[in-house]
């Protein structure tokens, strides 16, 4: 998938921008806080119907404005055009359209424009709680498997209903409890199977990319951890029902799944340096890109790289530059405050490219490198 043109009105600090884009490399240069990440987030929104950073749509509208509009003109791998539009007024639900036709359910759109977004916020994958790592799996799998998204929705509804029963002051209806437990077990085991298959396929790709970037200096690994590994999920859930009742919520299920991240035999969170952590996350995201490229209806995902070079030594920067300049990638959007990094990428690549400067939410194209 290629984004040919984008129009943005009142998205965060970007008041208005209409840009024709390179089908290969798009580089955005600017200081921190000027709007580079907001531009990438607008692209993310057109893929996922939401911001990567703020789940409250009304808060992404530019201050003192009443609405926002995003529109992207894409070209799929068969050469067909896709027009994706989103608009929202304060106090009114958003409208999301594909080729002028509004979606009945936003979930129908997920996966049309596969996308991987690498940003400094991804440090939470290592430093944050398990919900961050589950979301990482969910975001990728849901882009190529709509049945997964449906199972996740059904599981979360059942979990919410069971938790409501567990937190009641009076003794809950046992028959009703069993209905929601059966639904949790049924949907949860489907979720587990898909996550387990995804992680098993992802691990060798991830390790290979990490070894390339680090020049074989460290060994890293991923381990998927789930209560489903303890036996039939229904038995696992019901086994500690009394304990769940005491705390008022469900202690077991796929909502507690996690990815253990290791460097050598030690947890990345405890042992990894800033550069190693950043390399780990980047390798994980690039592995996801490779996975999606082969599974998402043979559609090459968009790759968004936001300020990825900070805290990395020169050798790792060079390896990343070689990777993203290769023929395995499609359209790339990359931001940096350091022009030197972008020049290195462009010098390694014969690909078509465009350069943009970003200042106070205003995005301008620069026709030649020396103009910047």
């Amino acid at each position: 998938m290629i984004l040919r043109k984008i129009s943005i009105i009142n998205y965060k600090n970007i008041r208005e921008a209409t840009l024709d884009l390179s089908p290969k490399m798009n580089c955005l240069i600017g200081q921190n806080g000027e709007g580079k990440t907001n531009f990438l987030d607008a692209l993310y929104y057109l893929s996922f119907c939401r911001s990567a950073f703020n789940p409250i749509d009304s808060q992404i509208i530019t201050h003192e404005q009443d609405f926002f509009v995003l529109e992207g003109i894409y070209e799929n791998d068969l050469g067909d055009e896709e027009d994706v539009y989103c608009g929202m007024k304060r106090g009114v639900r958003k409208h999301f359209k594909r080729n002028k036709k509004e979606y009945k359910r936003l979930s129908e759109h997920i996966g049309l424009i596969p996308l991987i977004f690498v940003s400094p916020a991804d440090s939470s994958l290592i430093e944050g709680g398990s919900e961050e790592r589950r979301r990482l799996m969910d975001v990728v799998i849901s882009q190529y498997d709509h049945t997964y998204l449906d199972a996740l929705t059904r599981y979360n509804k059942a979990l919410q209903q069971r938790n409501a029963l567990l937190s009641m002051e009076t003794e809950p209806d046992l028959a009703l409890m069993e209905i929601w437990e059966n639904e949790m077990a049924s949907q949860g085991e489907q979720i587990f199977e898909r996550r387990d298959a995804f992680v098993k396929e992802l691990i060798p790709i991830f390790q290979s990319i990490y070894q390339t970037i680090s020049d074989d200096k460290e060994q890293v690994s991923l381990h998927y951890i789930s209560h489903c590994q303890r036996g039939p999920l229904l038995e696992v859930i019901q086994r500690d029902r009394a304990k769940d009742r005491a705390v008022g919520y469900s202690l077991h299920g796929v909502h507690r799944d996690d990815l253990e991240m290791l460097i050598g035999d030690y947890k990345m969170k405890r042992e990894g340096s800033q550069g190693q952590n950043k390399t780990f996350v980047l390798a994980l995201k690039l592995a996801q890109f490779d996975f999606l490229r082969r599974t998402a209806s043979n559609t090459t995902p968009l790759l968004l790289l936001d300020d990825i070079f900070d805290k990395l030594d020169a050798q790792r920067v060079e390896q990343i530059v070689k990777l993203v300049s290769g023929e395995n990638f499609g359209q790339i959007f990359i931001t940096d405050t350091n022009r030197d990094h972008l020049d290195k990428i462009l010098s390694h690549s014969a690909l078509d490219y465009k350069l943009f400067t970003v200042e106070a939410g205003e995005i301008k194209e620069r026709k030649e490198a020396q103009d910047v």
Side-chain angles (χ1 to χ4, degrees):
M1 189 70 76
I2 293 169
L3 177 57
R4 292 289 185 186
K5 184 173 184 176
I6 187 168
S7 297
I8 303 172
I9 300 174
N10 297 333
Y11 193 88
K12 299 186 177 180
N13 78 328
I14 303 173
R15 293 292 297 271
E16 187 174 354
T18 299
L19 304 173
D20 293 308
L21 301 163
S22 165
K24 292 297 184 181
M25 188 85 69
N26 295 276
C27 304
L28 293 95
I29 305 165
Q31 297 304 308
N32 292 326
E34 298 295 333
K36 303 187 305 298
T37 301
N38 292 342
F39 174 79
L40 297 185
D41 192 45
L43 273 58
Y44 184 95
Y45 202 109
L46 285 170
S47 283
F48 292 99
C49 310
R50 63 181 295 276
S51 164
F53 305 106
N54 191 338
I56 303 173
D57 287 322
S58 61
Q59 293 181 3
I60 65 177
I61 300 174
T62 304
H63 294 311
E64 301 179 0
Q65 300 300 312
D66 295 326
F67 70 97
F68 83 86
V69 171
L70 299 174
E71 184 170 16
I73 307 298
Y74 296 83
E75 182 182 308
N76 66 24
D77 288 12
L78 298 176
D80 301 322
E81 184 176 289
E82 297 281 358
D83 183 344
V84 178
Y85 167 93
C86 180
M88 176 183 163
K89 293 181 180 179
R90 290 193 189 276
V92 182
R93 74 177 184 86
K94 62 189 170 192
H95 295 276
F96 222 97
K97 300 177 183 179
R98 175 187 179 187
N99 299 326
K100 312 300 181 184
K101 184 178 180 181
E102 187 153 3
Y103 284 103
K104 292 181 180 179
R105 296 193 310 163
L106 294 180
S107 60
E108 296 172 4
H109 178 68
I110 308 303
L112 176 69
I113 310 163
L115 177 150
I116 293 293
F117 188 5
V118 186
S119 85
D122 292 328
S123 61
S124 63
L125 290 171
I126 294 173
E127 299 165 3
S130 60
E131 66 276 5
E132 300 287 348
R133 295 178 283 279
R134 286 192 298 275
R135 182 171 176 268
L136 174 141
M137 293 187 281
D138 296 341
V139 165
V140 178
I141 300 171
S142 63
Q143 289 186 73
Y144 66 86
D145 186 346
H146 278 194
T147 63
Y148 178 83
L149 200 56
D150 183 61
L152 203 58
T153 301
R154 291 172 178 270
Y155 178 88
N156 287 332
K157 180 182 177 182
L159 172 65
Q160 187 178 32
Q161 295 295 327
R162 184 177 189 263
N163 284 348
L165 292 173
L166 290 169
S167 61
M168 291 175 61
E169 292 186 9
T170 57
E171 197 61 30
D173 185 310
L174 183 59
L176 190 56
M177 178 82 75
E178 289 178 346
I179 289 173
W180 294 120
E181 289 172 344
N182 275 285
E183 178 73 351
M184 281 178 65
S186 172
Q187 303 302 327
E189 287 182 342
Q190 292 183 51
I191 292 166
F192 166 74
E193 288 173 7
R194 287 164 173 79
R195 285 178 179 173
D196 188 49
F198 165 68
V199 173
K200 284 177 179 174
E201 191 169 342
L202 188 75
I203 287 172
I205 307 168
F206 156 70
Q207 289 177 323
S208 175
I209 293 172
Y210 189 98
Q211 296 308 314
T212 298
I213 297 174
S214 70
D215 198 25
D216 290 324
K217 290 180 180 176
E218 305 108 20
Q219 299 295 318
V220 292
S221 56
L222 285 172
H223 295 150
Y224 176 38
I225 300 169
S226 176
H227 290 145
C228 286
Q229 293 157 341
R230 300 180 182 180
L233 187 55
L234 182 61
E235 293 179 14
V236 174
I237 291 170
Q238 293 181 337
R239 193 178 301 151
D240 283 325
R241 190 190 285 160
K243 191 180 293 183
D244 291 355
R245 181 83 172 105
V247 298
Y249 56 87
S250 302
L251 291 168
H252 296 88
V254 295
H255 62 287
R256 304 298 289 269
D257 284 3
D258 204 351
L259 275 177
E260 187 178 50
M261 300 177 170
L262 302 177
I263 181 164
D265 297 325
Y266 304 97
K267 289 187 177 180
M268 198 75 195
K269 182 176 183 178
R270 195 170 60 234
E271 296 292 326
S273 67
Q274 286 183 313
Q276 289 168 335
N277 286 356
K278 195 147 192 174
T279 304
F280 193 101
V281 170
L282 181 60
L284 195 54
K285 288 297 190 82
L286 292 181
Q288 290 176 338
F289 176 94
D290 185 81
F291 186 91
L292 273 181
R293 184 172 59 86
R294 292 179 289 104
T295 55
S297 302
N298 296 315
T299 300
T300 305
L302 305 184
L303 179 62
L304 279 51
L305 303 173
D306 187 22
D307 192 25
I308 62 168
F309 298 115
D310 185 43
K311 305 293 190 300
L312 293 176
D313 59 47
Q315 184 270 328
R316 292 185 191 230
V317 169
E318 184 176 351
Q319 293 299 330
I320 293 166
V321 166
K322 289 179 181 177
L323 271 174
V324 301
S325 301
E327 59 184 20
N328 289 333
F329 293 93
Q331 190 178 30
I332 299 174
F333 295 84
I334 184 164
T335 74
D336 208 297
T337 57
N338 186 332
R339 175 62 194 283
D340 292 341
H341 291 147
L342 298 182
D343 280 341
K344 283 182 180 179
I345 290 178
L346 298 176
S347 68
H348 275 79
S349 175
L351 301 176
D352 177 78
Y353 69 88
K354 286 194 176 186
L355 283 163
F356 301 89
T357 57
V358 185
E359 187 174 353
E362 189 173 353
I363 307 172
K364 294 181 180 179
E365 182 182 349
R366 289 292 180 259
K367 297 298 184 183
E368 295 179 356
Q370 60 264 32
D371 288 344
V372 181

